[in-house]
Amino acid sequence: MAYETILVETRGNVGLITLNRPEALNALNNQLLDELIEAVGTFDADPAIGCIVLTGSEKAFAAGADIKEMQPKSYMDVFKEDLFTKADRIAETRTPLIAAVSGYALGGGCELAMMCDFILAGDNAKFGQPEINLGVMPGIGGTQRLTRLVGKSKAMEMCLTGRMMNAEEAERAGLVSRIVPKGELLEEAMKAASAIADKSLPIAMMTKETVNRAYETTLSEGVRFERRVFHSMFATHDQKEGMTAFTEKREPKFKDE
Ligand code: HXC
């Protein structure tokens, strides 16, 4: 597929997707969402790709869903097309997915970043759910994911006032894993992605799935799920190789098996 709103490249065993609608600060219109879902799905299905990085421009990761595209829609339009439900596909990605956020991550942009496994923020990053200023509320998971990530008080304040938070506040609140100078954001994200991609991909996928259970279930069920998946790892080549390499004081050679 020839993409018009995103740039897609492979760097070693890492897939890099750059949102590229500079004229609209990477606002997520229907075409961009379709292309993004296609590109993420293609990398996800590729066994040679061990991690995916999603980024935007220095000024904007994404300034939200495309307001101009949404503005004329009726209730029946959005109900019938099931607006934004397809974006859930991003959160269902099995391959680890990192959001590298520089500049604005607002509305659907913040929601997209939160669908990734973790967010690395440039020191100029700004996060917000300003939908209330448009007479709506977050509609791509923001009311749920932001609340789980930063807690009720801050999520409620963000969603009700629409104010933005800067990178320091986002890090303090647990929304981002860490902050890096904006000029080093992509390099740091690629470094983290390469480190992940060099591990065993099935083990990384199982780890991701298990951490995500924490958001879907009770503590005792989550721990039970962890134990079952942990035990199953002993049926893999890569567990044998990883532990043997440690005892032999050498680097492991994972086979993704
Ligand atoms: C469509 C957008 C856009 C958006 C920016 N643009 N954000 N177009 N949808 N979400 C366009 C502008 O119209 C403008 O195009 C160009 O991008 C540059 O933006 P400016 O506003 O001129 O830039 P600046 O003054 O630097 O301000 C940056 C900004 C501002 C603070 C990020 O653009 C802004 O507030 N954007 C909207 C943020 C927002 O409300 N996001 C939530 C969307 S709703 P032109 O052609 O005029 O130059 C959402 C809902 C999800 O995500 C699901 C629930 C329904």
Side-chain angles (χ1 to χ4, degrees), residues 141-233:
T143 60
Q144 306 305 301
R145 290 199 176 90
L146 187 64
T147 308
R148 281 164 163 79
L149 287 168
V150 308
K152 174 180 166 184
S153 198
K154 195 178 285 282
M156 199 66 100
E157 191 206 339
M158 302 297 299
C159 291
L160 289 177
T161 67
R163 83 167 171 89
M164 294 183 214
M165 60 173 141
N166 64 19
E168 282 79 32
E169 184 179 358
E171 188 186 35
R172 268 200 312 278
L175 179 61
V176 310
S177 66
R178 61 193 164 91
I179 304 172
V180 299
K182 65 181 180 195
E184 295 165 24
L185 176 65
L186 188 58
E187 189 190 325
E188 284 294 324
M190 291 305 296
K191 227 189 274 174
S194 297
I196 293 168
D198 287 343
K199 319 280 187 231
S200 165
L201 179 58
I203 299 294
M205 284 175 165
M206 288 182 219
T207 303
K208 163 174 173 162
E209 185 183 0
T210 305
V211 172
N212 279 330
R213 290 301 287 183
Y215 290 99
E216 304 284 351
T217 192
T218 61
L219 178 62
S220 60
E221 282 305 316
V223 171
R224 198 190 309 273
F225 184 84
E226 177 196 85
R227 199 64 33 79
R228 287 287 161 259
V229 177
F230 173 72
H231 288 165
S232 75
M233 289 172 173

Coordinates of all heavy atoms in Angstrom, one line a residue, residues 141-233:
G141 N -10.8 6.2 23.9 CA -10.3 5.5 25.1 C -9.7 6.4 26.2 O -9.3 5.9 27.2
G142 N -9.7 7.7 26.0 CA -9.0 8.6 26.9 C -9.6 8.6 28.3 O -8.9 8.7 29.3
T143 N -10.9 8.6 28.4 CA -11.5 8.6 29.7 C -11.1 7.4 30.6 O -11.0 7.5 31.8 CB -13.1 8.7 29.7 OG1 -13.6 7.5 29.1 CG2 -13.6 9.9 29.0
Q144 N -10.8 6.3 29.9 CA -10.5 5.1 30.6 C -9.0 4.9 30.8 O -8.5 4.7 31.9 CB -11.0 3.9 29.8 CG -12.5 4.0 29.6 CD -13.3 4.2 30.8 OE1 -13.3 3.3 31.7 NE2 -14.1 5.3 30.9
R145 N -8.2 5.1 29.7 CA -6.8 4.9 29.8 C -6.1 6.0 30.6 O -5.2 5.7 31.4 CB -6.1 4.8 28.4 CG -6.5 3.5 27.7 CD -5.6 3.1 26.5 NE -6.0 1.8 26.0 CZ -6.9 1.7 25.0 NH1 -7.4 2.8 24.4 NH2 -7.3 0.5 24.6
L146 N -6.5 7.2 30.4 CA -5.8 8.3 31.2 C -6.1 8.1 32.7 O -5.2 8.2 33.5 CB -6.3 9.7 30.7 CG -5.6 10.9 31.4 CD1 -4.1 10.9 30.9 CD2 -6.2 12.2 31.0
T147 N -7.3 7.7 33.0 CA -7.7 7.5 34.4 C -6.8 6.3 35.0 O -6.3 6.4 36.1 CB -9.2 7.2 34.5 OG1 -9.9 8.2 33.9 CG2 -9.6 7.1 36.0
R148 N -6.7 5.3 34.3 CA -5.8 4.2 34.8 C -4.4 4.6 34.9 O -3.7 4.1 35.8 CB -5.9 2.9 33.8 CG -7.2 2.1 34.0 CD -7.4 1.2 32.8 NE -8.3 0.1 33.1 CZ -9.7 0.2 33.1 NH1 -10.2 1.4 32.9 NH2 -10.4 -0.8 33.3
L149 N -3.9 5.4 34.0 CA -2.5 5.8 34.0 C -2.2 6.9 35.0 O -1.1 6.8 35.7 CB -2.1 6.3 32.6 CG -1.9 5.2 31.6 CD1 -1.8 5.8 30.2 CD2 -0.7 4.3 31.9
V150 N -3.0 7.9 35.2 CA -2.6 9.0 36.1 C -3.6 9.1 37.3 O -3.3 9.9 38.2 CB -2.6 10.3 35.4 CG1 -1.7 10.2 34.1 CG2 -4.0 10.8 35.0
G151 N -4.6 8.2 37.4 CA -5.5 8.3 38.6 C -6.7 9.2 38.3 O -6.6 10.1 37.4
K152 N -7.7 9.1 39.1 CA -8.9 9.8 38.9 C -8.8 11.3 38.9 O -9.3 12.1 38.1 CB -10.0 9.4 39.9 CG -11.3 10.1 39.8 CD -12.3 9.7 40.8 CE -13.4 10.7 40.9 NZ -14.4 10.4 42.0
S153 N -8.1 11.8 40.0 CA -8.1 13.3 40.2 C -7.5 14.0 39.0 O -8.1 15.0 38.5 CB -7.3 13.6 41.5 OG -7.7 14.8 41.9
K154 N -6.3 13.6 38.6 CA -5.7 14.3 37.5 C -6.4 14.0 36.1 O -6.6 15.0 35.3 CB -4.2 13.9 37.4 CG -3.4 14.9 36.5 CD -2.0 14.5 36.4 CE -1.2 14.9 37.6 NZ -0.9 16.3 37.7
A155 N -6.9 12.8 35.9 CA -7.6 12.5 34.7 C -8.9 13.3 34.6 O -9.2 13.9 33.6 CB -8.0 11.0 34.6
M156 N -9.6 13.4 35.7 CA -10.8 14.2 35.8 C -10.5 15.7 35.5 O -11.2 16.3 34.7 CB -11.5 14.0 37.2 CG -12.9 14.4 37.2 SD -14.0 13.2 36.3 CE -14.6 12.1 37.5
E157 N -9.5 16.2 36.1 CA -9.2 17.6 35.9 C -8.8 17.8 34.4 O -9.3 18.8 33.8 CB -8.0 18.0 36.8 CG -7.8 19.5 36.8 CD -6.4 19.9 37.1 OE1 -5.6 19.2 37.7 OE2 -6.0 21.1 36.7
M158 N -8.0 16.9 33.9 CA -7.6 17.1 32.4 C -8.8 17.1 31.5 O -8.9 17.9 30.6 CB -6.6 16.0 32.0 CG -5.4 15.8 32.8 SD -4.3 17.2 32.7 CE -3.9 17.3 31.0
C159 N -9.7 16.1 31.8 CA -10.8 15.9 30.8 C -11.9 17.0 31.0 O -12.6 17.4 30.1 CB -11.5 14.6 31.1 SG -10.5 13.2 30.5
L160 N -12.0 17.5 32.3 CA -13.0 18.6 32.5 C -12.6 20.0 32.2 O -13.4 20.8 31.8 CB -13.5 18.5 34.0 CG -14.4 17.2 34.3 CD1 -14.7 17.2 35.8 CD2 -15.6 17.2 33.5
T161 N -11.3 20.2 32.4 CA -10.8 21.6 32.1 C -10.2 21.7 30.7 O -10.2 22.8 30.1 CB -9.7 22.1 33.1 OG1 -8.5 21.2 32.9 CG2 -10.2 22.0 34.5
G162 N -9.7 20.6 30.2 CA -9.1 20.6 28.9 C -7.6 21.1 28.9 O -7.0 21.3 27.8
R163 N -7.1 21.4 30.1 CA -5.8 22.0 30.1 C -4.7 20.9 29.7 O -4.9 19.7 29.8 CB -5.4 22.5 31.5 CG -4.9 21.5 32.5 CD -4.4 22.2 33.8 NE -4.1 21.2 34.8 CZ -2.9 20.5 34.9 NH1 -1.9 20.8 34.0 NH2 -2.8 19.6 35.8
M164 N -3.6 21.5 29.2 CA -2.5 20.6 28.8 C -1.5 20.4 30.0 O -1.3 21.2 30.8 CB -1.7 21.2 27.7 CG -2.4 21.4 26.4 SD -1.3 22.1 25.1 CE -2.5 23.1 24.2
M165 N -0.8 19.2 30.0 CA 0.3 19.1 30.9 C 1.6 18.9 30.2 O 1.6 18.4 29.1 CB 0.1 17.9 31.9 CG -0.1 16.6 31.4 SD -0.1 15.4 32.8 CE -1.4 14.3 32.3
N166 N 2.7 19.5 30.8 CA 3.9 19.4 30.1 C 4.6 18.1 30.4 O 4.1 17.2 31.1 CB 4.8 20.6 30.5 CG 5.2 20.6 31.9 OD1 5.1 19.6 32.6 ND2 5.6 21.8 32.4
A167 N 5.8 17.9 29.8 CA 6.5 16.6 30.0 C 6.8 16.2 31.4 O 6.6 15.1 31.8 CB 7.8 16.6 29.1
E168 N 7.2 17.2 32.2 CA 7.6 17.0 33.6 C 6.4 16.5 34.4 O 6.5 15.5 35.1 CB 8.2 18.2 34.3 CG 9.6 18.5 34.0 CD 9.7 19.2 32.7 OE1 8.8 20.0 32.3 OE2 10.7 19.0 31.9
E169 N 5.3 17.2 34.2 CA 4.1 16.8 34.9 C 3.6 15.4 34.4 O 3.2 14.5 35.3 CB 2.9 17.8 34.7 CG 1.7 17.4 35.5 CD 0.5 18.4 35.3 OE1 0.7 19.4 34.6 OE2 -0.5 18.2 35.9
A170 N 3.7 15.1 33.1 CA 3.3 13.8 32.6 C 4.2 12.7 33.2 O 3.8 11.6 33.5 CB 3.4 13.8 31.1
E171 N 5.5 13.0 33.4 CA 6.4 12.0 33.9 C 6.1 11.7 35.4 O 6.0 10.6 35.9 CB 7.9 12.4 33.8 CG 8.8 11.2 34.2 CD 10.3 11.6 34.2 OE1 10.6 12.8 34.5 OE2 11.1 10.8 33.9
R172 N 5.9 12.9 36.1 CA 5.5 12.7 37.6 C 4.2 11.9 37.7 O 4.1 11.1 38.6 CB 5.2 14.1 38.2 CG 6.4 14.8 38.8 CD 6.0 15.9 39.8 NE 5.1 16.8 39.3 CZ 5.3 17.9 38.5 NH1 6.5 18.1 38.2 NH2 4.3 18.7 38.1
A173 N 3.3 12.1 36.8 CA 2.0 11.4 36.9 C 2.0 10.0 36.4 O 1.0 9.3 36.6 CB 1.0 12.2 36.1
G174 N 3.1 9.6 35.8 CA 3.2 8.2 35.3 C 2.7 8.0 33.9 O 2.5 6.9 33.5
L175 N 2.4 9.1 33.2 CA 1.9 8.9 31.9 C 3.0 8.5 30.9 O 2.8 7.8 29.9 CB 1.2 10.3 31.4 CG 0.7 10.4 30.0 CD1 -0.5 9.3 29.8 CD2 0.1 11.8 29.8
V176 N 4.2 9.1 31.2 CA 5.3 8.7 30.3 C 6.4 8.0 31.1 O 6.5 8.2 32.3 CB 5.9 10.0 29.6 CG1 4.8 10.8 29.0 CG2 6.8 10.8 30.6
S177 N 7.2 7.2 30.4 CA 8.2 6.4 31.1 C 9.4 7.2 31.4 O 10.0 7.1 32.5 CB 8.6 5.1 30.3 OG 9.2 5.5 29.1
R178 N 9.8 8.1 30.5 CA 10.8 9.1 30.8 C 10.9 10.2 29.8 O 10.3 10.1 28.7 CB 12.2 8.4 30.9 CG 12.7 7.7 29.8 CD 13.9 6.8 30.1 NE 14.1 5.8 29.1 CZ 14.9 6.0 28.0 NH1 15.6 7.1 27.9 NH2 15.1 5.1 27.1
I179 N 11.6 11.2 30.1 CA 11.8 12.4 29.3 C 13.2 12.5 28.7 O 14.1 12.2 29.5 CB 11.5 13.7 30.1 CG1 10.2 13.7 30.8 CG2 11.6 14.9 29.2 CD1 10.0 14.8 31.8
V180 N 13.3 12.8 27.5 CA 14.6 13.0 26.9 C 14.6 14.3 26.1 O 13.6 14.8 25.8 CB 15.0 11.8 25.9 CG1 15.0 10.5 26.6 CG2 14.0 11.7 24.7
P181 N 15.9 14.9 25.9 CA 15.9 16.1 25.2 C 15.3 15.9 23.8 O 15.5 14.9 23.2 CB 17.4 16.4 25.0 CG 18.0 15.7 26.2 CD 17.2 14.5 26.4
K182 N 14.5 16.9 23.3 CA 13.7 16.7 22.1 C 14.5 16.3 20.9 O 14.1 15.5 20.1 CB 12.8 17.9 21.8 CG 13.6 19.1 21.4 CD 12.7 20.3 21.1 CE 13.5 21.5 20.7 NZ 12.8 22.8 20.7
G183 N 15.8 16.8 20.8 CA 16.6 16.5 19.7 C 17.1 15.0 19.7 O 17.6 14.5 18.7
E184 N 17.0 14.4 20.9 CA 17.5 13.0 21.0 C 16.3 12.0 21.1 O 16.6 10.8 21.3 CB 18.3 12.8 22.3 CG 19.6 13.6 22.2 CD 20.3 13.8 23.6 OE1 20.0 13.0 24.5 OE2 21.0 14.8 23.8
L185 N 15.1 12.5 20.9 CA 13.9 11.6 21.1 C 13.9 10.4 20.2 O 13.8 9.3 20.7 CB 12.6 12.4 20.9 CG 11.3 11.6 21.0 CD1 11.2 11.1 22.4 CD2 10.1 12.4 20.6
L186 N 14.1 10.6 18.9 CA 14.0 9.5 18.0 C 15.1 8.5 18.3 O 14.9 7.2 18.3 CB 14.0 9.9 16.6 CG 13.7 8.8 15.6 CD1 12.4 8.1 15.9 CD2 13.7 9.3 14.1
E187 N 16.3 9.0 18.5 CA 17.5 8.2 18.7 C 17.3 7.3 20.0 O 17.5 6.1 20.0 CB 18.7 9.1 18.9 CG 20.0 8.4 19.0 CD 21.1 9.4 19.5 OE1 21.0 10.6 19.1 OE2 22.0 9.0 20.2
E188 N 16.8 7.9 21.1 CA 16.5 7.2 22.3 C 15.4 6.2 22.1 O 15.5 5.0 22.6 CB 16.1 8.2 23.4 CG 17.2 8.9 24.0 CD 18.2 8.1 24.8 OE1 17.8 7.1 25.4 OE2 19.4 8.3 24.7
A189 N 14.4 6.5 21.3 CA 13.3 5.6 21.1 C 13.8 4.4 20.3 O 13.5 3.3 20.6 CB 12.1 6.3 20.4
M190 N 14.6 4.7 19.3 CA 15.2 3.6 18.5 C 16.1 2.7 19.3 O 16.1 1.5 19.1 CB 16.0 4.2 17.3 CG 15.1 4.8 16.2 SD 13.7 3.8 15.6 CE 14.6 2.5 14.8
K191 N 16.8 3.3 20.2 CA 17.7 2.5 21.1 C 16.9 1.6 22.0 O 17.2 0.4 22.1 CB 18.5 3.5 22.0 CG 20.0 3.2 22.1 CD 20.7 4.0 23.2 CE 21.1 5.4 22.7 NZ 21.6 6.3 23.8
A192 N 15.8 2.1 22.6 CA 15.0 1.2 23.4 C 14.3 0.2 22.5 O 14.2 -1.0 22.9 CB 13.9 2.1 24.1
A193 N 13.9 0.6 21.3 CA 13.2 -0.4 20.4 C 14.2 -1.5 20.0 O 13.8 -2.7 20.0 CB 12.7 0.3 19.2
S194 N 15.4 -1.1 19.7 CA 16.4 -2.2 19.3 C 16.7 -3.1 20.4 O 16.8 -4.3 20.2 CB 17.7 -1.5 18.9 OG 17.6 -0.7 17.8
A195 N 16.8 -2.5 21.6 CA 17.0 -3.4 22.8 C 15.9 -4.4 22.9 O 16.1 -5.6 23.2 CB 17.2 -2.6 24.1
I196 N 14.7 -4.0 22.8 CA 13.5 -4.9 22.9 C 13.5 -5.9 21.7 O 13.3 -7.1 21.9 CB 12.2 -4.0 22.9 CG1 12.1 -3.2 24.1 CG2 11.0 -5.0 22.7 CD1 11.0 -2.2 24.1
A197 N 13.8 -5.4 20.5 CA 13.8 -6.2 19.3 C 14.8 -7.3 19.4 O 14.7 -8.3 18.7 CB 13.9 -5.4 18.1
D198 N 15.9 -7.1 20.1 CA 17.0 -8.1 20.3 C 16.6 -9.2 21.2 O 17.3 -10.2 21.3 CB 18.3 -7.4 20.7 CG 18.9 -6.7 19.5 OD1 18.4 -6.9 18.3 OD2 19.8 -5.8 19.7
K199 N 15.5 -9.0 22.0 CA 15.1 -10.1 22.9 C 14.3 -11.2 22.1 O 14.1 -11.0 20.9 CB 14.2 -9.6 24.0 CG 14.6 -8.3 24.6 CD 15.7 -8.4 25.6 CE 15.9 -7.0 26.3 NZ 17.3 -6.6 26.3
S200 N 13.8 -12.2 22.8 CA 12.9 -13.1 22.1 C 11.6 -12.5 21.9 O 10.9 -12.0 22.8 CB 12.8 -14.4 23.1 OG 11.7 -15.2 22.6
L201 N 11.2 -12.5 20.6 CA 9.9 -11.8 20.3 C 8.7 -12.5 21.0 O 7.9 -11.8 21.6 CB 9.7 -11.7 18.8 CG 8.4 -11.1 18.3 CD1 8.2 -9.7 18.8 CD2 8.3 -11.1 16.8
P202 N 8.6 -13.8 20.9 CA 7.4 -14.4 21.6 C 7.4 -14.2 23.1 O 6.3 -13.9 23.7 CB 7.5 -15.9 21.3 CG 8.8 -16.2 20.7 CD 9.3 -14.9 20.1
I203 N 8.6 -14.1 23.7 CA 8.6 -13.9 25.2 C 8.2 -12.4 25.4 O 7.5 -12.1 26.4 CB 10.1 -14.2 25.7 CG1 10.4 -15.7 25.5 CG2 10.2 -13.8 27.2 CD1 9.6 -16.6 26.3
A204 N 8.7 -11.5 24.6 CA 8.3 -10.1 24.7 C 6.8 -9.9 24.5 O 6.1 -9.2 25.2 CB 9.1 -9.2 23.7
M205 N 6.2 -10.7 23.5 CA 4.8 -10.6 23.3 C 4.0 -11.1 24.5 O 3.0 -10.5 24.9 CB 4.4 -11.4 22.1 CG 4.8 -10.8 20.8 SD 4.4 -11.9 19.4 CE 4.4 -10.9 18.0
M206 N 4.5 -12.2 25.1 CA 3.8 -12.8 26.3 C 3.9 -11.8 27.5 O 3.0 -11.7 28.2 CB 4.4 -14.2 26.6 CG 4.1 -15.3 25.6 SD 4.8 -16.8 26.2 CE 5.3 -17.5 24.7
T207 N 5.1 -11.2 27.6 CA 5.3 -10.2 28.7 C 4.3 -9.1 28.5 O 3.7 -8.6 29.5 CB 6.7 -9.8 28.7 OG1 7.6 -10.9 28.8 CG2 7.0 -8.8 29.8
K208 N 4.2 -8.5 27.3 CA 3.3 -7.4 27.0 C 1.9 -7.8 27.3 O 1.1 -7.1 28.0 CB 3.5 -7.0 25.6 CG 2.4 -6.2 25.0 CD 2.7 -5.7 23.6 CE 1.5 -5.0 23.0 NZ 1.8 -4.1 21.9
E209 N 1.5 -9.0 26.9 CA 0.1 -9.4 27.1 C -0.2 -9.6 28.6 O -1.2 -9.2 29.1 CB -0.1 -10.8 26.4 CG -1.5 -11.3 26.5 CD -1.7 -12.7 25.9 OE1 -0.7 -13.3 25.4 OE2 -2.9 -13.2 25.9
T210 N 0.9 -10.0 29.3 CA 0.7 -10.2 30.8 C 0.6 -8.9 31.5 O -0.3 -8.7 32.4 CB 1.8 -11.2 31.3 OG1 1.8 -12.4 30.5 CG2 1.5 -11.5 32.8
V211 N 1.5 -8.0 31.2 CA 1.4 -6.6 31.9 C 0.0 -6.0 31.6 O -0.6 -5.5 32.4 CB 2.5 -5.7 31.4 CG1 2.3 -4.3 31.9 CG2 3.9 -6.3 31.8
N212 N -0.4 -6.2 30.3 CA -1.7 -5.6 30.0 C -2.9 -6.2 30.7 O -3.9 -5.6 30.9 CB -2.0 -5.7 28.4 CG -1.3 -4.6 27.7 OD1 -1.1 -3.5 28.3 ND2 -0.9 -4.8 26.5
R213 N -2.7 -7.4 31.2 CA -3.8 -8.1 32.0 C -4.1 -7.2 33.3 O -5.2 -7.3 33.8 CB -3.4 -9.5 32.4 CG -3.4 -10.5 31.3 CD -4.7 -10.6 30.6 NE -5.7 -11.3 31.4 CZ -6.9 -11.6 30.9 NH1 -7.2 -11.3 29.6 NH2 -7.8 -12.3 31.6
A214 N -3.1 -6.5 33.7 CA -3.2 -5.7 35.0 C -4.3 -4.7 34.8 O -4.9 -4.2 35.8 CB -1.9 -5.1 35.3
Y215 N -4.6 -4.3 33.5 CA -5.6 -3.3 33.3 C -7.0 -3.9 33.0 O -8.0 -3.2 32.8 CB -5.2 -2.4 32.1 CG -4.1 -1.5 32.4 CD1 -2.8 -1.9 32.1 CD2 -4.3 -0.4 33.2 CE1 -1.7 -1.1 32.4 CE2 -3.2 0.4 33.5 CZ -2.0 0.1 33.2 OH -0.9 0.9 33.5
E216 N -7.0 -5.2 33.0 CA -8.3 -5.9 32.5 C -8.9 -6.7 33.6 O -10.0 -7.2 33.5 CB -8.0 -6.8 31.3 CG -7.4 -6.1 30.1 CD -8.4 -5.3 29.3 OE1 -9.6 -5.4 29.6 OE2 -7.9 -4.5 28.5
T217 N -8.1 -7.0 34.7 CA -8.6 -8.0 35.6 C -8.2 -7.7 37.1 O -7.6 -6.7 37.3 CB -8.1 -9.4 35.1 OG1 -8.8 -10.4 35.9 CG2 -6.6 -9.6 35.4
T218 N -8.6 -8.6 38.0 CA -8.3 -8.4 39.4 C -6.9 -8.8 39.6 O -6.3 -9.5 38.8 CB -9.2 -9.3 40.3 OG1 -9.0 -10.6 39.9 CG2 -10.7 -8.9 40.1
L219 N -6.3 -8.4 40.8 CA -4.9 -8.8 41.2 C -4.7 -10.3 41.2 O -3.8 -10.8 40.6 CB -4.6 -8.2 42.5 CG -3.1 -8.5 43.0 CD1 -2.1 -7.9 42.0 CD2 -2.9 -7.9 44.4
S220 N -5.7 -11.0 41.9 CA -5.4 -12.4 42.0 C -5.5 -13.1 40.6 O -4.8 -14.0 40.3 CB -6.4 -13.1 43.0 OG -7.7 -12.9 42.6
E221 N -6.5 -12.7 39.8 CA -6.6 -13.3 38.5 C -5.4 -12.9 37.6 O -4.9 -13.8 36.8 CB -7.9 -12.9 37.8 CG -9.1 -13.6 38.2 CD -9.0 -15.1 38.1 OE1 -8.5 -15.7 37.1 OE2 -9.4 -15.8 39.1
G222 N -4.9 -11.7 37.8 CA -3.7 -11.3 37.0 C -2.5 -12.1 37.4 O -1.7 -12.5 36.5
V223 N -2.3 -12.3 38.7 CA -1.2 -13.1 39.1 C -1.3 -14.5 38.7 O -0.3 -15.1 38.3 CB -1.0 -13.0 40.7 CG1 0.0 -13.9 41.2 CG2 -0.7 -11.5 41.1
R224 N -2.5 -15.0 38.7 CA -2.7 -16.4 38.2 C -2.4 -16.5 36.7 O -1.7 -17.4 36.3 CB -4.2 -16.8 38.4 CG -4.5 -18.3 38.4 CD -6.0 -18.6 38.3 NE -6.7 -17.9 39.3 CZ -6.9 -18.4 40.6 NH1 -6.4 -19.6 40.9 NH2 -7.7 -17.8 41.4
F225 N -2.8 -15.5 35.9 CA -2.5 -15.5 34.5 C -1.0 -15.4 34.3 O -0.4 -16.1 33.5 CB -3.1 -14.2 33.9 CG -3.0 -14.1 32.4 CD1 -3.8 -14.8 31.5 CD2 -2.0 -13.3 31.8 CE1 -3.7 -14.7 30.1 CE2 -1.8 -13.2 30.4 CZ -2.7 -13.9 29.6
E226 N -0.3 -14.5 35.1 CA 1.2 -14.4 35.0 C 1.8 -15.8 35.3 O 2.7 -16.2 34.5 CB 1.7 -13.4 36.1 CG 3.2 -13.3 36.1 CD 3.6 -12.6 37.4 OE1 3.8 -13.3 38.4 OE2 3.8 -11.4 37.3
R227 N 1.4 -16.4 36.3 CA 2.0 -17.7 36.7 C 1.9 -18.7 35.6 O 2.8 -19.4 35.2 CB 1.3 -18.3 38.0 CG 2.1 -19.3 38.8 CD 3.4 -18.7 39.3 NE 3.4 -17.3 39.7 CZ 2.9 -16.8 40.8 NH1 2.4 -17.6 41.7 NH2 3.0 -15.6 41.1
R228 N 0.7 -18.8 34.9 CA 0.5 -19.8 33.9 C 1.4 -19.4 32.7 O 2.0 -20.3 32.1 CB -1.0 -19.7 33.4 CG -1.9 -20.4 34.4 CD -1.8 -21.9 34.4 NE -2.3 -22.5 35.6 CZ -1.6 -22.9 36.7 NH1 -0.3 -22.8 36.6 NH2 -2.2 -23.3 37.7
V229 N 1.4 -18.1 32.3 CA 2.3 -17.8 31.1 C 3.7 -18.0 31.5 O 4.5 -18.5 30.7 CB 2.0 -16.3 30.7 CG1 2.9 -15.9 29.5 CG2 0.5 -16.1 30.3
F230 N 4.1 -17.6 32.7 CA 5.5 -17.8 33.1 C 5.9 -19.3 33.0 O 6.9 -19.6 32.5 CB 5.7 -17.3 34.6 CG 7.0 -17.6 35.2 CD1 8.1 -16.9 34.8 CD2 7.1 -18.6 36.2 CE1 9.4 -17.2 35.4 CE2 8.4 -18.8 36.8 CZ 9.5 -18.1 36.4
H231 N 5.0 -20.1 33.5 CA 5.3 -21.6 33.4 C 5.5 -22.0 32.0 O 6.4 -22.8 31.6 CB 4.2 -22.4 34.1 CG 4.3 -22.3 35.6 ND1 3.2 -22.7 36.4 CD2 5.2 -21.8 36.5 CE1 3.5 -22.5 37.7 NE2 4.7 -22.0 37.7
S232 N 4.6 -21.5 31.1 CA 4.6 -21.9 29.7 C 5.9 -21.5 29.0 O 6.3 -22.1 28.0 CB 3.4 -21.3 29.0 OG 3.6 -19.9 28.7
M233 N 6.6 -20.5 29.5 CA 7.9 -20.0 28.9 C 8.9 -21.1 29.0 O 9.9 -21.1 28.2 CB 8.3 -18.7 29.6 CG 7.5 -17.5 29.2 SD 7.9 -16.1 30.1 CE 6.9 -14.9 29.3

